Amino acid sequence: MSGPLLRARGLTKMFGARTGCVDVDLDLHESEVLAIVGESGSGKSTLLGLLSTQLEKTAGSLTYRRKDGVAVDLSSLSEMERRLLLRTEWGFVQQDARMGLRMNVSAGGNVGERLMAVGWRNYAAIRTESQDWLARVEIAADRMDDMPGAFSGGMRQRLQIARNMVTRPRLVFMDEPTGGLDVSVQARLLDLLRSLVAEGGLSVILVTHDLAVARLLSHRIAVMRQGRIVELGLADQVLEDPQHSYTQLLVSSVLQA
Amino acid sequence: MLHTLPRDESIRLEDVSKTFVLHLQDGARLPAVTRLSFSVRPGECVALHGSSGAGKSSVLKMIFGNYLTDEGLILVRSGDRVVNVATAEPRDVLALRRQTIGYVSQFLRVIPRVPCLDIVAAAAREDGCEETQALARARDLLARLNLPERLWGLPPATFSGGEQQRVNIARGFAAYRPIMLLDEPTASLDAANSEAVITLIGERKAAGAAIVGVFHDPAIRNRVADRLIAVSRPERSEAA
């Protein structure tokens, strides 16, 4: 273990004259869950896009320490190298599961094709492994051959998580993974995400506007406002002893159930 | 910076101060703790003593790293290291919470849907117990705290305040931590259940844990605490 898994320095994204995110410094360590919170338009999704190399940065640096221990400058990777990394070491869970799934492929196929993409060839082994992961996310074996379109929103989200986790990624990016789900479905999903993280070895960068979700899942919270991180600290500390006026506003605006 | 603690101390606070700045109230400054100093030895329980709002819970939260500390040192012994919580990085605070400092808050905060037996067993697993041992320890604690067995398989969301608090205490005692912070652990418990908590605290003291607690009930406080530390605000606090 040496140094952070992901390191951003001065990360900046401009959309023409409009600011996406400015001068972000961030370290993510192994087995760490970092939540990025803020209102819509605060730049949190832009930052997630930059960190996951889905968006091209305007300025700054971004390095990632690969499984082989080598720290690579992510902007120096060729498109092929970048795609290999995405496939073998990373995962991305979208808010809308339909964006992260292949809707014309069965549930089992959605999970299995990720294994094939990292070199699995034995059909029986792929099917067994896929089935194991579907069971872990509580999708019954008899739904394996169904299309994701036939699933409820919560089930689709769990399927997307299985699709991402089956290749045992080291780093998973999540964009509002519980957004738009009923609270009962959300609780089940939170429980699943927590158990995946608790097994260790998995690092997560999670974007959410839900402070309760951030508190339950993350070790640290970064608060964004107008494209900048205005506060970064231990999750429960940021929420219970917020230092920045904007964080105090956010925390005091939450409805108590 | 490298800190040292006298051999016979587990925790030492030196001139610790904390002021809340309320930006939404025109930057109003609310002093919570002013120049507080005390230390705790292994096997000792000290009770923070003072009127409501004197900052007793804030002190516990600062030792746990839940509140930031503005000034002073909060030194805790963790294995063969001494960590200053007041300036520690989040990762170091998390490591302390995994290995060294246990905290029983007044309110149970858990993920919905998880049965209370699993909540307590999970804490035992963090202590290195394997599955059957963790479950056995969880059952033993819940039984000792008189939580009816029919509730063990249920998530605590619908439990009464006293039942939730007992789940919280069971969780807090499921792992051995050399430092324990107890925030009104008997606040909503009846006499029999308070007695069970007093016994648990006594066992941890005997095992060498250093305990800092806030106890609203003077009778309980006098039974578990070896010393009282006066906490008052905003003037200077002194050890009693």
Side-chain angles (χ1 to χ4, degrees):
Chain A
M1 282 254 301
S2 54
L5 189 65
L6 192 70
R7 162 167 286 189
R9 288 294 178 269
L11 209 56
T12 299
K13 175 72 180 174
M14 302 297 291
F15 298 102
R18 197 168 59 80
T19 307
C21 92
V22 192
D23 212 13
V24 168
D25 293 346
L26 206 60
D27 286 339
L28 181 79
H29 289 89
E30 229 160 83
S31 301
E32 189 185 21
V33 181
L34 173 78
I36 304 171
V37 305
E39 292 170 331
S40 30
S42 61
K44 53 191 197 301
S45 294
T46 302
L47 178 57
L48 192 73
L50 285 176
L51 294 172
S52 61
T53 70
Q54 300 198 322
L55 285 176
E56 217 167 303
K57 63 187 190 312
T58 309
S61 70
L62 185 61
T63 53
Y64 171 74
R65 189 165 47 78
R66 278 192 322 224
K67 208 180 296 184
D68 59 12
V70 178
V72 290
D73 174 356
L74 288 174
S75 56
S76 74
L77 297 183
S78 69
E79 184 57 16
M80 219 176 78
E81 290 171 315
R82 193 182 74 90
R83 283 178 180 279
L84 179 72
L85 192 69
L86 255 59
R87 217 167 45 230
T88 55
E89 298 198 19
W90 290 9
F92 202 110
V93 175
Q94 311 268 2
Q95 173 174 2
D96 183 352
R98 280 170 298 202
M99 305 292 287
L101 291 171
R102 292 224 291 149
M103 296 302 286
N104 53 352
V105 172
S106 71
N110 260 287
V111 179
E113 71 171 14
R114 291 275 298 188
L115 289 171
M116 287 161 71
V118 294
W120 289 47
R121 287 295 173 259
N122 180 302
Y123 178 78
I126 291 171
R127 193 160 169 95
T128 307
E129 183 76 2
S130 303
Q131 207 161 2
D132 280 355
W133 269 98
L134 290 173
R136 286 219 42 192
V137 302
E138 301 180 43
I139 293 176
D142 64 0
R143 302 300 303 271
M144 190 172 180
D145 298 316
D146 289 355
M147 295 291 165
F151 288 0
S152 67
M155 243 173 120
R156 267 206 293 268
Q157 196 55 292
R158 283 183 272 126
L159 175 61
Q160 191 191 189
I161 287 164
R163 176 178 161 92
N164 274 280
M165 292 302 301
V166 68
T167 52
R168 311 261 166 187
R170 302 171 73 213
L171 173 59
V172 174
F173 300 90
M174 299 186 184
D175 192 1
E176 303 274 9
T178 60
L181 298 174
D182 291 339
V183 280
S184 59
V185 177
Q186 208 183 79
R188 197 171 174 192
L189 196 64
L190 285 172
D191 189 20
L192 169 67
L193 292 173
R194 267 229 333 185
S195 69
L196 293 174
V197 167
E199 282 168 20
L202 175 67
S203 303
V204 178
I205 298 181
L206 162 86
V207 158
T208 179
H209 70 275
D210 187 332
L211 298 182
V213 168
R215 179 174 186 133
L216 278 174
L217 289 180
S218 71
H219 300 112
R220 284 190 302 154
I221 290 179
V223 183
M224 287 199 81
R225 188 192 186 205
Q226 293 172 355
R228 292 177 188 272
I229 292 181
V230 295
E231 185 158 358
L232 175 64
L234 206 58
D236 57 283
Q237 178 262 306
V238 167
L239 297 179
E240 289 190 36
D241 187 18
Q243 304 294 303
H244 193 275
S245 57
Y246 178 67
T247 316
Q248 292 187 357
L249 178 67
L250 270 189
V251 170
S252 67
S253 305
V254 174
L255 286 176
Q256 299 286 327
Chain B
M1 195 170 129
L2 219 59
H3 296 280
T4 54
L5 263 180
R7 265 188 176 286
D8 61 345
E9 290 182 8
S10 297
I11 310 171
R12 170 182 280 269
L13 274 68
E14 282 180 23
D15 283 331
V16 165
S17 297
K18 162 94 185 156
T19 298
F20 292 103
V21 180
L22 310 176
H23 293 290
L24 306 181
Q25 273 94 49
D26 298 321
R29 296 175 64 82
L30 205 71
V33 179
T34 310
R35 294 181 65 89
L36 180 68
S37 301
F38 67 89
S39 59
V40 192
R41 290 188 292 271
E44 186 184 36
C45 174
V46 306
L48 304 179
H49 180 52
S51 54
S52 173
K56 303 185 293 292
S57 294
S58 296
V59 174
L60 297 183
K61 289 180 171 197
M62 288 159 78
I63 299 172
F64 196 56
N66 179 227
Y67 283 180
L68 294 178
T69 299
D70 297 334
E71 283 173 59
L73 298 175
I74 298 181
L75 304 180
V76 299
R77 186 184 304 285
S78 178
D80 47 16
R81 294 196 316 142
V82 174
V83 179
N84 179 16
V85 179
T87 57
E89 291 292 321
R91 299 172 68 206
D92 298 325
V93 175
L94 289 173
L96 280 180
R97 292 179 183 181
R98 275 195 302 272
Q99 295 150 11
T100 307
I101 308 181
Y103 172 55
V104 179
S105 62
Q106 292 181 56
F107 304 103
L108 181 66
R109 188 189 283 277
V110 290
I111 206 155
R113 208 178 79 113
V114 181
C116 75
L117 187 67
D118 291 353
I119 292 169
V120 180
R125 275 198 301 273
E126 272 180 36
D127 205 21
C129 286
E130 42 86 24
E131 191 61 33
T132 49
Q133 196 188 357
L135 282 170
R137 200 188 279 188
R139 286 199 190 93
D140 175 57
L141 277 164
L142 291 171
R144 288 183 64 181
L145 289 160
N146 307 308
L147 195 81
E149 201 170 334
R150 63 186 160 78
L151 298 180
W152 296 1
L154 302 176
T158 56
F159 292 7
S160 73
E163 287 162 351
Q164 291 200 9
Q165 188 164 26
R166 281 178 278 157
V167 175
N168 210 15
I169 292 164
R171 178 167 68 164
F173 280 86
Y176 177 80
R177 298 277 187 267
I179 292 172
M180 288 195 86
L181 310 171
L182 308 176
D183 196 352
E184 307 234 15
T186 58
S188 35
L189 301 187
D190 61 20
N193 289 317
S194 295
E195 205 59 42
V197 176
I198 290 168
T199 307
L200 284 173
I201 294 172
E203 287 174 8
R204 284 303 153 95
K205 283 168 64 177
I211 300 175
V212 186
V214 176
F215 305 94
H216 71 295
D217 182 336
I220 291 173
R221 181 168 62 228
N222 291 336
R223 281 183 61 195
V224 297
D226 301 291
R227 278 187 299 141
L228 299 184
I229 306 290
V231 179
S232 60
R233 155 180 105 182
E235 305 83 15
R236 190 182 175 128
S237 309
E238 280 155 353

